[in-house]
């Protein structure tokens, strides 16, 4: 970001919104609660990480990934597998079966790829389906019993593999790795496709990943959700703070009641953690963008034909940024699950985790890391606030109407729908009047 | 007899439902593909356009019903359809004027249009809910069945029933009529021909004196008609709920892409490929197999490739496999 | 900031004492998202109870109760947390009716309600995980946990001599939890579940699911879903294709919409939902109709009960402070005391004011056991002649 | 340097390149001429790896390079320019040049983050080289201009400049003169000759301007309707009956068409 007055003013404006949200008296616009304000900030910071990931793919390389939700979800798996306590007996019940099943799956795909490369057309026509179906049956033979065995262990409370019981912060890079692994597979298969085809292929892949998470109970309990994911160091639990005499005394000494002090402390610690991650990422992405690597990526985005003729390996570079961007999305997914304290696969919905993130990147200014951060903070702020603004606006609009009028009742009943409508309107307005976003790429 | 039972079971649970669903997807995919062919972008708002069209059709249907108008045994909604189409056409033409035309004039990157359509999707989403609310609405009247499962059983003496709903028949007949009309329009009329020319080669079409704005307007009107018809048929066959139409967008896209974007024949084929694969890959063939093999061979467990939880994934897996071997779809669609 | 916090702390202290005040209750349900079609009736139910109490003028020296609605989106934990955060810290609500879905409920409970010491009563989150969650005595629910209903369903099926059942459930923690607990109970009692498979709500087409269910067969199809979501699609498909004509409907399905839509076609089908003998449910439905909404919609009666419980507990504790009245929720919900039905909240408040005991029964036969969840008595219903008839209560 | 053996490229039934066998000698500036639609650009695109041949082989210094992707050909020292200039329009002219050399340390992300000193040195060297190239091409004043803002001819020069950033073995120039004014064309011509003499570049040039071809190229290959019509020195070619007929044929046709119109 060039440090010009405009950009500084934009960030200052964003900060002012959050401060007003916390410090003003409660009114129609602001809630006047620091908890709300910091809550928005925290999710905003995670959204900023997510937006950076999408910006790496779209802004740096022009890759339209419509399956962001899948990579967020797969990153969210990491805290479960890393930080939750183990489910005793689950691994011995079916762990090896699962490993064998995946070995069979990998061997099948490998064999199919090999045959596809080496054999003649007639051989391929018969051999590939045979290999795929045969391999699938072998996979099922291992997988079915193993997964049911795991699901049978302590079904009511767990029924899944459980985790390693490690600190949850470790899960963040692991989440990034999970997403990177998935992105490698996806990229290898789908990156050859052109624009709209890539968009819809990734849309589908995102849905597939989410549906796997929803339905494989042995992995993360599927729709039964995993609760109680431990908090990261150094974030304490509010009730522990409230019961600590020391903390209560210190809170009183700064004139705070213990409840607000504890909730604010926890939120501030989260903010600090997320801010550190975000700043590291921004440093890395900014340095990358300003390096010869960034120059090469811009060249590829500008003109693929010429970049290829100048010796740049387009597919490999696309794969690289696709993996990098997805890894950042996975990291954000893991952070999100940590903040929520639970993994709920049912919550991965493309409107929220793909399209809303897109709105953030576009509004902020695609190609510009600082823009993505600003866009994420702003859109998340508006998305959260629209929840209360919508009904208030409707109440205002209908205030002139008679109580009990059908139209008033109808409008009030639809007030909550203002939320998505507002997002759409913002996206369209920005695309139209400021197509390069609030902080354009230079 | 057992062989007949097996056939009837297959017809009843796979072929008939998959055909009706396929026809609905095909009509939706035709709209998507048409817009792609002429306007060169994937319209993410198509699902919500369908929802809007259906919502208006339902409102008019209610109006007609309260006036006592009926075309029994056919559902009243068919009578309301033209109103729904008109309203939807007005809406999409307005949207085009307010949103898309700007980017078209600027010759923006297609992906910008895709994003704009995401914005339009969010807004139409809201508008539809403002108009009709979020509830599940059943609006089919008229006769429900052409063949009823129970009656079929008693009439034929077979163990398996066969059901054919009137909405399924209406869906298939309407789909055939609409597709015929569309191909007649594209193939025989002057406007249709100029649309095809425009789709094949925009520059050449412009040189030969085709008015692009007219072509675009006609495309939107047809797309609105297709969307409304597909949405209404779908709502008649199942029920109307605004939320479902966004979900419907995904299989419709899969259908349009499998067939090849921009290719009308491909969209129709794609619709049926997706619907049949969703039903067949997750179909438990135990019942059918049980009729065909001697009694003690009947398997205990289900004979299905994937459980139904994954049926949604199936359509996309097929989409991806098709794209791997044919990067622009079965019928070789366009790529921008 | 310091000043404001001190001021609000002072307000909280004042609010703790009795005296006419304006009490705010939050309603956090998913007005948008996959269950958006259920939310308006739930909110209306909760608001009905609040209006009733306000109008009576008998709560805490004539306090009024206002509802503050919040959109929990049902699926987005972050958005739900933000919503509840607003309700608690900005609107300063004294209790929350919500959340709607188990995941979102857990998140907002642990991240907001518990730290701030706010009571939450969920009308619809049924996940067993919520029973074991550490909640500081702040969380209750008026919907019975899945385990209980599984046992009741098993009894009903076996009494009807039904030995095999196919199960389809809505693919969320409610459906999955209910289906699994039913399967466990049923098979332990000697029944056979031929297939236990999910359907996703809000999907285009259910012919694949119906085909799989039909192939597995069974004497009855258990539809553990929602009536205006995928459940209706499954029933429609099963009836039309002749796959099943006998159904069991758990609580998410039993509603007026079920009767309106399928009544004549499902003769002999049966179901169960939480309700006690007596006029509780009917009274509620009548009140809802008068207020202009459908009281039979899933989890709408539970919402009324949740709001009523909070308000009666406040009265019993003579305080609107959650830390105080949370201990009274179990007392007002359970015996001993005079039974209270919907529409009788004023009466209950009078009894409490006079120092008597109440046993809130409400629209769904609320009975809280163990960690504050409804043990519930159920009514068994059956369809005859296109109408839903109550067979008996259990 | 380059041997093309029995190369075919068909689009459906249309034989854009029909059994072409040519060779480009090391150190030469070979001209490739022919009327529109003769298959020159298709031949270029097949050699440069943009199109896959229907059949036939392309050899470079004895190695089979048929069907190699463009980036692989670049590393072998085969560079090209385009009929319509393909610049990186949102980057500056200098950046357009600096991005060219392959295997830059700073193109790996790990180095970009952690080997900053090394990259600084490397960048300084690249910058110096880019400025030399700009000097050579006499467009130093445009160094910081966005490439998208250049004129058609300047873009062509820039493309030529890109080939100078690395040790190219052979450079294919596709219609260097298209849309370029006479003065600039002469500049380009001079640059080509100097590169050929001073650095030993081999060139293969497609051009319509016969004066330009005659001044620079030896030998000249004439194509028509997908086939090689003749090969030889430029003045011999001008005398060749078949060539005259090919050009005149179209010329006459054009005349007739104009007459009718």
């Amino acid at each position: 970001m060039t440090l010009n007055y405009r950009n500084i003013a934009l960030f200052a404006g964003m900060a002012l919104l959050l401060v007003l949200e916390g410090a003003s008296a409660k009114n129609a616009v602001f809630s006047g609660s620091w908890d709300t304000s910091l809550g928005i900030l925290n999710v905003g910071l995670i959204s900023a990480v997510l937006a950076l990931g999408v910006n790496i793919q779209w802004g740096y390389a022009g890759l339209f990934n419509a399956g962001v939700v899948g990579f967020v979800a797969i990153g969210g798996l990491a805290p479960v597998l890393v930080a939750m306590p183990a489910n005793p007996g689950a691994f011995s019940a079916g762990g090896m079966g699962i490993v064998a099943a995946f070995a069979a799956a990998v061997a099948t795909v490998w064999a199919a790829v090999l045959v596809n490369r080496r054999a003649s057309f007639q051989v391929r026509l018969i051999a590939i389906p045979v290999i795929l179906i045969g391999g699938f049956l072998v996979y099922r033979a291992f997988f079915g019993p193993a997964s049911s065995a795991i699901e049978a262990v302590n079904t009511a409370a767990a029924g899944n593999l459980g985790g390693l019981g490690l600190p949850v912060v470790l899960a963040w890079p692991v989440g990034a790795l999970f997403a990177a692994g998935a992105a490698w597979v996806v990229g290898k298969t789908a990156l050859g496709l052109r624009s709209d085809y890539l968009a819809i292929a990734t849309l589908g892949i995102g849905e597939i990943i989410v549906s796997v998470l929803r339905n494989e109970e042995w992995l993360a309990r599927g729709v039964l959700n995993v609760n109680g994911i431990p908090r990261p160091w150094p974030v304490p639990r509010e009730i522990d703070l409230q019961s600590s005499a020391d903390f209560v005394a210190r809170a009183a000494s700064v004139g705070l009641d213990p409840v607000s002090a504890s909730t604010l402390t926890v939120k501030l610690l989260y903010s600090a953690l997320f801010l550190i991650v975000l700043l590291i990422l921004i440093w890395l992405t900014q340095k990358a963008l300003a390096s010869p690597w960034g120059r090469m990526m811009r060249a590829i985005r500008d003109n693929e034909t010429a970049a290829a003729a100048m010796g740049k390996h387009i597919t490999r570079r696309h794969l690289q940024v696709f993996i990098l961007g997805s890894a950042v999305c996975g990291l954000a997914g893991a952070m999100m699950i940590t903040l929520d304290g639970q993994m709920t696969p049912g919550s991965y919905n493309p409107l929220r985790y793909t399209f809303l993130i897109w709105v953030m990147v576009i509004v902020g200014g695609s190609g510009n890391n600082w823009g993505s951060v600003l866009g994420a903070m702003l859109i998340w702020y508006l998305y959260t606030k629209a929840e209360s603004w919508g009904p208030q606006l409707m109440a205002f609009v209908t205030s002139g109407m008679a109580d009990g009028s059908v139209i008033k009742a109808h409008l009030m009943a639809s007030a909550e729908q203002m939320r998505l409508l507002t997002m759409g309107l913002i996206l369209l307005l920005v695309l139209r009047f400021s197509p390069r976003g609030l902080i354009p790429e230079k | 007899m057992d062989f007949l039972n097996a056939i009837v079971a297959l017809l009843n649970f796979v072929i008939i439902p998959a055909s009706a669903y396929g026809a609905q997807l095909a009509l939706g995919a035709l709209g998507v593909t048409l817009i792609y062919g002429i306007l060169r972008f994937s319209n993410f708002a198509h699902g919500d356009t369908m929802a809007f069209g259906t919502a208006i059709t339902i409102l008019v249907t209610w109006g007609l019903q309260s006036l006592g108008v009926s075309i029994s045994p056919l559902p009243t909604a068919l009578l309301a359809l033209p109103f729904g189409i008109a309203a939807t056409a007005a809406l999409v033409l307005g949207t085009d004027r307010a949103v898309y035309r700007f980017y078209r004039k600027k010759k923006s990157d297609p992906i910008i249009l895709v994003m704009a359509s995401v914005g339009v999707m969010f807004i139409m989403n809201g508008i539809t809910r403002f108009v009709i609310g979020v509830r599940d609405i059943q609006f089919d009247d008229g006769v429900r069945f052409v063949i009823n499962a129970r009656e079929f059983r008693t009439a034929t003496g077979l163990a398996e029933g066969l059901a054919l709903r009137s909405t399924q028949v209406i869906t298939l007949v309407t789909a055939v009529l609409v597709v015929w009309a569309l191909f007649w329009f594209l193939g025989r009329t002057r406007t249709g021909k100029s649309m095809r020319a425009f789709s094949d080669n925009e520059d050449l079409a412009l040189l030969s004196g085709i008015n692009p704005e007219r072509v675009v307007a006609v495309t939107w009107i047809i797309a609105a008609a297709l969307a409304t018809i597909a949405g209404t048929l779908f709502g008649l066959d199942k029920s109307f709920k605004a939320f479902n139409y966004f979900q419907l967008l995904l299989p419709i896209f899969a259908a349009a892409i499998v067939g090849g974007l921009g290719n009308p024949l491909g969209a129709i084929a794609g619709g049926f490929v997706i619907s049949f694969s969703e039903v067949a890959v997750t179909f438990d063939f135990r019942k059918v197999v049980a009729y065909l093999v001697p009694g003690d061979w009947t398997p205990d467990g289900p004979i299905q490739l994937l459980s139904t939880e994954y049926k949604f994934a199936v359509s996309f897996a097929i989409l991806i496999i098709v794209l791997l071997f044919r990067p622009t779809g079965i019928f070789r669609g366009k790529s921008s | 900031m310091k000043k404001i916090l001190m001021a609000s702390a002072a307000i909280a202290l004042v609010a703790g004492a009795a005296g006419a005040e304006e009490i705010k209750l939050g309603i956090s349900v998913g007005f948008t998202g996959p269950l958006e079609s259920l939310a308006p009736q739930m909110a209306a139910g909760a608001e009905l109870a609040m209006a009733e109490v306000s109008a009576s003028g008998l709560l805490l020296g004539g306090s009024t109760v206002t509802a503050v609605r919040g959109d929990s989106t049902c699926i987005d934990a972050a958005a739900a947390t933000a919503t509840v955060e607003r309700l608690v810290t900005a609107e300063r609500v004294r209790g929350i009716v919500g959340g709607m879905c188990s995941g979102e409920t857990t998140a907002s409970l642990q991240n907001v309600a518990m730290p701030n010491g706010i009571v939450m009563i969920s009308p619809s989150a049924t996940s067993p995980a919520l029973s074991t969650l550490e909640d500081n005595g702040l969380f209750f629910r008026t919907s019975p946990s899945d385990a209980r209903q599984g046992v009741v369903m098993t009894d009903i099926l076996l009494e009807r001599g039904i030995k095999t059942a196919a199960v389809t459930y809505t693919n969320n923690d409610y459906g999955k939890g209910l289906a699994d607990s039913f399967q466990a109970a049923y098979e332990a009692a000697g029944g056979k579940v031929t297939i236990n498979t999910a359907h996703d709500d809000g999907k285009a087409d259910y012919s694949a699911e119906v085909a799989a269910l039909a192939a597995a067969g069974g004497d009855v199809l258990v539809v553990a879903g929602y009536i205006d979501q995928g459940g209706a699609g499954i029933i429609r498909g099963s009836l039309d294709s002749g796959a099943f004509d006998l159904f069991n409907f758990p609580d998410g399905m039993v509603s007026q919409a079920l009767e309106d839509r399928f009544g004549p076609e499902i003769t002999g089908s049966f179901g169960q939902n939480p309700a006690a003998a007596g006029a509780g449910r009917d009274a509620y439905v009548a009140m809802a109709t008068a207020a202009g909404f459908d009281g039979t919609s899933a989890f709408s009666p539970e919402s009324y009960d949740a709001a009523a419980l909070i308000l009666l507990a406040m009265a019993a504790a003579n305080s609107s402070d959650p830390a105080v009245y949370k201990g009274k929720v179990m007392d007002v919900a359970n015996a001993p005391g005079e039974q209270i039905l919907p529409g009788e909240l004023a009466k209950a408040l009078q009894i409490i004011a006079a120092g008597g005991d109440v046993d809130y029964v409400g629209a769904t036969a609320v009975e809280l056991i163990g960690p504050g969840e409804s043990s519930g008595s159920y009514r068994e219903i059956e369809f005859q002649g296109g109408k839903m008839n109550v067979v008996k209560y259990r | 340097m380059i041997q093309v053996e029995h190369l075919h490229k068909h689009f459906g039934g249309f034989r854009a390149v029909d059994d072409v066998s040519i060779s480009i000698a090391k150190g030469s500036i070979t001209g490739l001429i022919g009327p529109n639609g003769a298959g020159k650009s298709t031949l270029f695109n097949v050699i440069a790896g943009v199109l896959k041949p229907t059949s036939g082989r392309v050899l470079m210094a004895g190695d089979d390079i048929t069907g190699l992707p463009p980036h692989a050909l670049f590393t072998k020292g085969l560079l090209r320019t385009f009929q319509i200039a393909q610049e990186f329009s949102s980057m500056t002219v200098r950046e357009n040049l600096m991005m060219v050399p392959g295997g830059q340390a700073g193109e790996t992300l790990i180095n970009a983050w952690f080997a900053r000193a090394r990259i600084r040195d490397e960048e300084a060297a690249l910058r110096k080289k880019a400025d030399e190239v700009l000097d050579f091409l006499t467009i130093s004043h445009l160094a910081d201009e966005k490439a998208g803002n250049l004129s058609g001819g300047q873009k062509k020069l820039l493309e030529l400049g890109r080939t100078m950033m690395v040790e190219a073995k052979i450079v294919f120039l596709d219609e260097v003169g298209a849309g370029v004014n006479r003065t600039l064309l002469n500049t380009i011509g001079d640059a080509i000759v100097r590169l050929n003499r001073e650095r030993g570049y081999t060139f293969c040039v497609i051009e319509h301007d016969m004066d330009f071809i005659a001044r620079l190229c030896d030998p000249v290959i004439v194509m028509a309707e997908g086939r090689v019509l003749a090969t030889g020195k430029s003045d011999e070619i001008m005398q060749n009956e078949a060539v005259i007929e090919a050009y005149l044929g179209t010329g006459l046709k054009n005349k007739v068409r104009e007459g009718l119109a």
Side-chain angles (χ1 to χ4, degrees), chain C residues 208-285:
Chain C
E209 283 84 352
V210 169
L213 292 167
D219 295 336
V220 68
L221 177 62
V222 175
V223 188
Y226 302 107
I227 175 63
D228 57 355
Q229 301 277 341
I234 295 279
I235 298 176
R236 185 81 274 155
S238 305
L239 285 172
D240 289 351
S241 63
F244 290 92
D245 42 25
L246 194 62
F247 301 91
N248 175 277
F249 306 114
D251 53 350
M253 298 291 296
V254 178
S255 72
Q256 191 57 40
L258 181 65
E259 180 180 304
D260 293 347
R261 199 184 283 182
F262 299 108
E265 298 176 75
I266 49 175
T267 299
S269 292
F270 54 97
Q272 65 287 323
N273 68 331
R281 187 182 168 90
D282 298 338
Y284 173 70
V285 173

Side-chain angles (χ1 to χ4, degrees), chain B residues 12 136 163 165 238 244 311, chain C residues 36 202 205 229 240-241 261:
Chain B
N12 193 27
D136 195 41
R165 279 203 305 273
K238 278 93 184 179
N244 289 5
K311 76 164 187 186
Chain C
E36 60 187 12
D205 176 78
Q229 301 277 341
D240 289 351
S241 63
R261 199 184 283 182

Side-chain angles (χ1 to χ4, degrees), chain A residues 41 80 88 105 114 157 173 202 211 242 254 257 278-279 289 333 348 390 398 409 413 421 425 430:
Chain A
L41 173 71
V80 176
L114 214 64
T202 48
S211 78
Q242 287 162 22
V254 291
D257 68 300
L278 183 63
L279 288 176
L289 209 55
Y348 292 110
T398 56
L421 204 145
L425 203 59
V430 168

Side-chain angles (χ1 to χ4, degrees), chain D residues 10-212:
Chain D
H10 303 169
F11 297 102
F14 174 63
R15 302 176 160 220
V17 174
D18 188 9
D19 195 25
V20 167
S21 298
I22 57 170
S23 93
I24 299 167
K26 190 167 184 209
S28 69
I29 303 178
T30 304
L32 187 60
I33 63 170
N36 280 328
K40 306 177 303 273
S41 280
T42 309
L43 178 64
F44 255 40
N45 282 330
V46 172
I47 295 173
V50 176
L51 298 172
K52 295 255 179 291
T54 310
S55 67
R57 295 205 300 167
V58 182
L59 302 176
M60 180 172 173
D63 296 339
D64 192 343
I65 58 162
T66 324
L68 284 184
H71 63 87
L73 294 172
F74 175 90
T75 50
K76 286 186 173 292
L78 186 155
L79 275 68
R80 68 167 305 186
T81 67
F82 295 85
Q83 190 171 359
I84 301 159
Q86 303 277 340
E87 78 290 352
F88 304 111
S89 50
S90 74
M91 291 165 42
T92 66
V93 168
R94 190 185 282 117
E95 281 181 313
N96 263 265
L97 295 179
M98 285 172 71
M99 67 75 68
V100 175
Q104 299 176 30
E107 284 185 355
T108 13
L109 275 177
I110 295 296
N111 289 335
W113 291 324
F114 304 115
R116 316 276 306 286
R118 190 168 147 207
I119 292 174
R120 213 171 306 128
D121 299 345
E122 193 183 66
E123 285 287 277
L126 277 176
R127 195 184 163 90
K128 186 157 165 274
K129 185 156 190 180
D131 287 343
E132 281 168 18
V133 169
L134 292 175
D135 257 352
F136 183 96
L137 297 173
T138 66
I139 49 172
S140 298
H141 57 288
L142 295 173
D144 293 313
E145 188 67 41
K146 284 258 162 74
N149 299 341
L150 299 187
S151 74
Q154 288 166 335
K155 286 178 184 173
K156 290 270 175 190
L157 263 182
L158 177 60
E159 280 200 315
L160 189 62
R162 284 204 302 234
T163 68
M164 295 168 59
M165 289 298 291
V166 287
E167 294 306 313
K169 295 203 176 74
I170 174 155
V171 178
F172 286 82
L173 302 176
D174 198 348
E175 300 202 13
V176 272
V180 179
N181 66 45
R182 175 64 51 183
T183 334
L184 207 49
L185 189 58
N186 284 335
T187 318
I188 293 174
D190 294 343
I192 291 171
V193 173
R194 276 181 65 192
L195 283 171
N196 178 253
R197 295 213 182 115
E198 294 169 16
R199 299 205 188 180
Y201 278 25
T202 307
F203 280 99
C204 180
V205 186
I206 293 182
E207 187 42 61
H208 284 296
D209 186 317
M210 280 316 221
D211 293 341
F212 185 79

